[in-house]
Amino acid sequence: MMSIGILPCQGSSNTGMMTNKVTLNKVDGKEFKTVCALGLPLGIEGIIKNAKSNEGFVALNGCPIKCASKALLSVGIDDFKEITVTDLGIQKNGNMKDETGIEKLSDKLDEVVESLRKIQ
């Protein structure tokens, strides 16, 4: 079984919060593990080591700024799949409790994970 690290952006918008919620629903500590969005660019050795122990990665970006992708790139992880919530037609707004479109994001994550499994 492939170990997949999922990095949610966790940004301060509805789309950022959705990346975190979808990740929490997927992470099981075995096949799916969360990667710390802050620990990577801050250079925290243990977090980087844990992140790099995964065999596949998904960056869940809330918006076109793509902070999750940039965090992975900051530690030399450049072989990853990327999802940007706003690319799915979900509007970014200031209401962090707005989960409109979260099912679409969850379905997209499932699709990307399945594509990673096929590569294995």
Side-chain angles (χ1 to χ4, degrees), residues 4-5 20 24 35 43 45 53 55 58 66 70 75 86 89 91 101 104 109:
I4 299 171
N20 192 46
L24 290 174
V35 177
E45 195 173 311
S53 71
E55 299 158 318
V58 179
K66 298 186 177 185
K70 289 174 183 173
V75 295
T86 54
Q91 296 294 312
K104 190 184 282 189
L109 178 58

Side-chain angles (χ1 to χ4, degrees), residues 33 35 39-40 43-55 57 75 77:
K33 300 175 184 175
V35 177
L40 296 180
I44 299 172
E45 195 173 311
I47 291 173
I48 294 169
K49 180 180 176 184
N50 283 338
K52 288 185 174 183
S53 71
N54 292 294
E55 299 158 318
F57 297 91
V75 295
I77 298 171

Side-chain angles (χ1 to χ4, degrees), residues 3-119:
S3 172
I4 299 171
I6 302 174
L7 180 70
C9 88
Q10 302 177 340
S12 59
S13 67
N14 59 316
T15 54
M17 291 295 110
M18 279 193 267
T19 67
N20 192 46
K21 290 176 184 175
V22 168
T23 298
L24 290 174
N25 287 332
K26 180 63 87 177
V27 168
D28 60 10
K30 296 177 181 113
E31 182 178 15
F32 304 103
K33 300 175 184 175
T34 191
V35 177
C36 178
L38 285 175
L40 296 180
L42 290 175
I44 299 172
E45 195 173 311
I47 291 173
I48 294 169
K49 180 180 176 184
N50 283 338
K52 288 185 174 183
S53 71
N54 292 294
E55 299 158 318
F57 297 91
V58 179
L60 287 180
N61 298 294
C63 71
I65 297 171
K66 298 186 177 185
C67 295
S69 294
K70 289 174 183 173
L72 288 170
L73 290 169
S74 75
V75 295
I77 298 171
D78 58 5
D79 185 15
F80 58 88
K81 299 289 185 178
E82 176 178 77
I83 298 170
T84 302
V85 178
T86 54
D87 288 350
L88 301 175
I90 300 168
Q91 296 294 312
K92 179 180 176 179
N93 63 48
N95 179 359
M96 294 206 272
K97 293 182 180 181
D98 181 359
E99 295 184 359
T100 304
I102 197 167
E103 303 83 16
K104 190 184 282 189
L105 174 58
S106 182
D107 291 345
K108 184 65 176 178
L109 178 58
D110 289 343
E111 177 186 315
V112 168
V113 163
E114 193 56 38
S115 74
L116 281 171
R117 287 180 178 144
K118 288 179 182 177
I119 294 170

